[in-house]
Amino acid sequence: MEDYASNLPNRPKRLLSIDGGGLAGLIPAESLIAIESQLNRITGREAPLCDRFDLIGGTSTGAILAAGLCLGLKAEQLRDFYLDYGKEIFAKVFLPERFWHLYPSEPLAHHLKEVFGEDTTLGSKKLRTNLLVVSKNATLGTTWFFTNNAKGRYSANNAGLPLWQVVRASTAAPTFFPPQPISVPDDQGELHNYEFIDGGVSSYNNPSLQVFLEATNPRYQFGWPTGVDKLLLISLGTGFSAVTVPEGKAAEYNLLNWAQYLIKELLADANLQQNVLMHLIGQGPKGKGPASEVEIAAARAVGTPAPDALEVMSAGLGSTKALTYQRITIDLTRERLDGLDLGDIDPIKVREMDAVDQIENMRRLGQAVANEQVRMDLLKQFFA
């Protein structure tokens, strides 16, 4: 892979991070379409997002979007992946197989091979910019950050891995899909057969912080400079809400109920943690657009420290911010959806990552979020 970013060493570096969330990947997909369109207009030339960003990272459904973008696919093509294949991918298995997982792996694996190419590897030159995919190695109990960075510590071990397997591994949410086995060579070339599960079963369902570290920490072999004028990170969420149990129902939960609850709770807490950290080290775009007020309200809704509290904590860490950080997401509440003129959409139903009956509503929600929050004119200095 050509190191696109190193060809222009003096310009700001641009990073893109995409959360996990199943079919709710339609929400960031619509924002990607808006980002692509607005940048084409602002720059006066059409280009895929792989030519706009130096590093694109994703977890779970975000890994599908990130890998597709790095291959040069248009954002609209990736949005259509969910529209065309979502119902097939989330078609329940028959009993007794459902005792282990709700959905088969074959449909998703088939379409990943079809779209990405069965023979495309993580180190393939078909990847036109730097990619980061988050997964969990269940065999070793460690979070793995798969990257195509040729200078990376594990490049020789991972470069030959099929890209579709790496992405499928990142999407293997426990109770929803079976684990993804991958044979990974060690430094001596001996193969180890590991089983991987969804990267969201870690602290990195929102991979923003790891994308930032990958770009700036010298140990990852990029070592790009920090600063609000030198580094931009756009983080796309899949929506969030409080994870609750109806009053008096907790005692009735069975093992499967609790397993699904814990997954959702982990995702919610991890997203919150990542967003707090990124707000502490990052500065919002210059200029005040609709997204600024939306993000403040959304942060308060899930317990993120209020802006004044963030300022106090930031002062304790030093006044110099490490990057410009833009978070685009949506609080899935009745009030927020009503405010977007989406009163016919049930916020409870669109919270479910496997809600195939809500695909069109997730698309509409994504379009509303994009219309409200994607303001690339506030970030145009990074793309000049």
Side-chain angles (χ1 to χ4, degrees):
M1 181 202 70
E2 181 181 3
D3 188 349
Y4 169 70
S6 67
N7 293 336
L8 298 168
N10 296 320
R11 70 151 174 78
K13 298 300 185 288
R14 290 111 44 151
L15 317 177
L16 181 62
S17 172
I18 312 173
D19 289 12
L23 289 172
L26 279 162
I27 297 174
E30 291 292 346
S31 287
L32 290 170
I33 292 172
I35 291 170
E36 186 179 274
S37 174
Q38 290 183 25
L39 286 178
N40 287 344
R41 174 181 53 79
I42 289 169
T43 63
R45 66 182 181 88
E46 291 195 8
L49 291 180
C50 62
D51 291 348
R52 307 286 194 191
F53 289 90
D54 305 304
L55 172 61
I56 304 176
T59 301
S60 194
T61 199
I64 296 175
L65 294 170
L69 291 176
C70 289
L71 286 170
L73 298 179
K74 293 179 66 65
E76 193 171 279
Q77 290 176 279
L78 292 167
R79 187 272 314 278
D80 290 347
F81 182 91
Y82 296 86
L83 299 180
D84 294 341
Y85 308 131
K87 290 184 179 179
E88 180 185 350
I89 290 169
F90 286 95
K92 283 186 169 65
V93 298
F94 295 105
L95 293 172
E97 191 176 356
R98 201 176 298 177
F99 180 77
W100 288 277
H101 51 84
L102 293 173
Y103 305 107
S105 62
E106 290 79 12
L108 176 56
H110 169 75
H111 291 300
L112 290 177
K113 293 176 189 177
E114 186 178 56
V115 174
F116 296 164
E118 188 169 0
D119 298 326
T120 303
T121 62
L122 185 61
S124 172
K125 294 184 182 297
K126 293 179 182 178
L127 290 165
R128 294 165 53 177
T129 194
N130 297 294
L131 171 67
L132 174 70
V133 172
V134 182
S135 187
K136 185 86 171 184
N137 186 324
T139 306
L140 298 180
T142 54
T143 303
W144 279 35
F145 305 110
F146 289 101
T147 176
N148 61 336
N149 179 9
K151 298 178 182 178
R153 164 66 179 84
Y154 298 103
S155 174
N157 309 75
N158 298 337
L161 302 179
L163 180 64
W164 75 265
Q165 284 190 0
V166 171
V167 174
R168 225 300 279 171
S170 184
T171 66
T175 76
F176 288 94
F177 294 103
Q180 174 64 44
I182 303 181
S183 296
V184 183
D186 61 21
D187 292 341
Q188 287 71 46
E190 182 179 352
L191 288 177
H192 296 267
N193 298 315
Y194 298 130
E195 290 183 297
F196 290 86
I197 58 175
D198 197 311
V201 188
S202 71
S203 297
Y204 302 96
N205 188 62
N206 172 352
S208 297
L209 181 62
Q210 186 61 34
V211 171
F212 167 75
L213 292 174
E214 195 81 24
T216 60
N217 190 323
R219 65 175 290 195
Y220 293 115
Q221 302 302 316
F222 286 125
W224 294 334
T226 60
V228 295
D229 296 322
K230 297 178 181 178
L231 192 67
L232 166 69
L233 193 156
I234 299 176
S235 175
L236 304 180
T238 54
F240 63 90
S241 59
V243 182
T244 62
V245 177
E247 185 176 347
K249 295 295 183 181
E252 300 175 9
Y253 267 31
N254 58 34
L255 293 177
L256 181 58
N257 294 140
W258 281 119
Q260 294 176 335
Y261 172 85
L262 290 172
I263 290 173
K264 294 177 184 178
E265 180 67 18
L266 175 61
L267 297 182
D269 283 351
N271 282 351
L272 174 60
Q273 178 193 57
Q274 297 287 324
N275 206 26
V276 169
L277 291 172
M278 295 308 299
H279 275 296
L280 286 173
I281 65 175
Q283 174 179 292
K286 295 178 181 178
K288 191 172 183 179
S292 300
E293 294 302 320
V294 168
E295 182 61 21
I296 289 171
R300 284 177 172 152
V302 294
T304 301
D308 53 348
L310 285 173
E311 289 177 9
V312 171
M313 288 187 285
S314 296
L317 295 174
S319 59
T320 302
K321 295 290 187 176
L323 75 162
T324 293
Y325 174 67
Q326 177 66 58
R327 176 72 169 166
I328 296 173
T329 190
I330 177 71
D331 184 10
L332 297 173
T333 63
R334 178 75 277 153
E335 181 180 6
R336 276 294 280 129
L337 269 59
D338 288 346
L340 293 172
D341 294 325
L342 297 174
D344 61 312
I345 296 180
D346 186 337
I348 295 177
K349 290 182 179 179
V350 292
R351 294 172 190 170
E352 301 300 324
M353 63 177 285
D354 56 346
V356 294
D357 62 329
Q358 297 297 308
I359 286 177
E360 182 55 32
N361 284 338
M362 289 181 185
R363 178 187 184 183
R364 291 172 55 212
L365 180 56
Q367 291 172 334
V369 171
N371 289 337
E372 179 188 59
Q373 299 183 41
V374 176
R375 290 283 304 277
M376 299 309 295
D377 56 309
L378 300 179
L379 300 166
K380 61 184 179 181
Q381 70 272 22
F382 290 97
F383 297 92

